[in-house]
Amino acid sequence: MAADVEEAQNDEVQNTVGAVSGDGASDVAVEADQVSAVDVESNETPVVEKSEDSSVVEDKSDDASDEDDEDEEDYLVEEGEIAGDYLEQLLDVLDFDGDIDLDVEGDRAIVSIDGGDDLAKLVGRKGEVLDALQELTRLAVQQSTGERSKLMLDVAGWRANRRTELGNLGAEAARRVLESGEREELTPMTPFERKIVHDAVAKIDGVASESTGVEPARRVVVVKA
């Protein structure tokens, strides 16, 4: 499972893409207290001296932590804006309509495209085109910032719907295994999909999940714990 989480967070797809035609998607062109010194020859009990300014130091530490959090969020917002600009240009080139929404969730920027009639072409079969487009967008951000991006791209709510679907799938499989005691293998999935299933199974006591096989046929197996 740890391997799948690493796969899902670092690179959900390594596909190369070409172009989206008006008839459909083949591919898309375009990741303290201070201790005083004690005389070693003295028989006196060492004295721990508390700094009078300890509370001030602690406050400053909290302030520094808050500033770090703000800096991280600001950076993720910047990632989202860069991605948004890139995707706007792509939509213009493809002559597709769509509204781009930017958000921050945890340690990654979230970018979504909604509202257009042709957006299904940017999702493709089983999200293959979307995965490729997400990787291209990550590379565009990396080219601008110099840092590898982990942003998540969604189009027409496909990932959100898929997350709900896979969560339900994992929970149902876990309940079946809990009742029967027999292991259950699910169909092959991407690292992103397997992580969602693992998370769903982990919420149910008495069962566990693992991954088996080699990409692209790697799949989740649910077993009784």
Side-chain angles (χ1 to χ4, degrees):
M1 175 175 176
D4 294 330
V5 173
E6 181 67 19
E7 293 175 69
Q9 289 180 336
N10 292 331
D11 282 307
E12 295 173 7
V13 63
Q14 297 297 331
N15 298 332
T16 304
V17 291
V20 177
S21 69
D23 296 326
S26 34
D27 296 319
V28 184
V30 176
E31 120 200 44
D33 293 338
Q34 297 177 339
V35 180
S36 62
V38 179
D39 186 344
V40 293
E41 297 180 358
S42 172
N43 293 324
E44 296 179 0
T45 302
V47 178
V48 177
E49 297 180 353
K50 293 185 178 180
S51 169
E52 296 178 356
D53 297 326
S54 61
S55 61
V56 176
V57 172
E58 185 176 338
D59 289 342
K60 289 182 178 180
S61 177
D62 291 341
D63 290 343
S65 178
D66 291 341
E67 289 177 1
D68 289 343
D69 290 342
E70 290 178 1
D71 289 344
E72 176 68 13
E73 183 170 354
D74 288 344
Y75 175 76
L76 294 176
V77 169
E78 180 186 359
E79 275 198 355
E81 291 175 345
I82 294 170
D85 290 342
Y86 172 79
L87 292 168
E88 281 183 355
Q89 295 177 31
L90 176 64
L91 292 177
D92 286 343
V93 170
L94 297 175
D95 196 24
F96 283 4
D97 293 326
D99 299 320
I100 298 177
D101 183 57
L102 311 177
D103 198 1
V104 172
E105 182 179 300
D107 63 346
R108 68 173 67 198
I110 307 295
V111 183
S112 59
I113 307 176
D114 296 290
D117 295 333
D118 296 323
L119 295 183
K121 297 176 182 178
L122 297 181
V123 175
R125 178 178 173 274
K126 295 183 178 181
E128 292 173 349
V129 177
L130 173 57
D131 286 342
L133 180 57
Q134 175 177 270
E135 186 63 18
L136 283 177
T137 305
R138 287 177 172 181
L139 291 173
V141 172
Q142 180 178 359
Q143 185 177 32
S144 178
T145 66
E147 300 290 338
R148 188 73 175 96
S149 173
K150 298 189 297 181
L151 74 83
M152 180 76 73
L153 174 64
D154 197 2
V155 173
W158 188 87
R159 286 199 197 281
N161 294 334
R162 185 64 173 154
R163 186 185 295 274
T164 299
E165 178 184 338
L166 291 170
N168 292 336
L169 177 67
E172 291 169 1
R175 283 191 286 267
R176 288 194 298 268
V177 171
L178 196 59
E179 292 176 1
S180 68
E182 298 181 359
R183 71 198 299 270
E184 182 171 334
E185 284 191 8
L186 303 181
T187 58
M189 299 178 186
T190 66
F192 165 78
E193 293 172 329
R194 294 196 301 270
K195 180 181 184 304
I196 296 172
V197 174
H198 285 311
D199 290 344
V201 173
K203 294 177 181 178
I204 299 179
D205 295 333
V207 292
S209 63
E210 57 189 31
S211 290
T212 184
V214 180
E215 301 290 2
R218 194 164 173 81
R219 65 188 66 207
V220 174
V221 179
V222 184
V223 298
K224 195 163 184 179

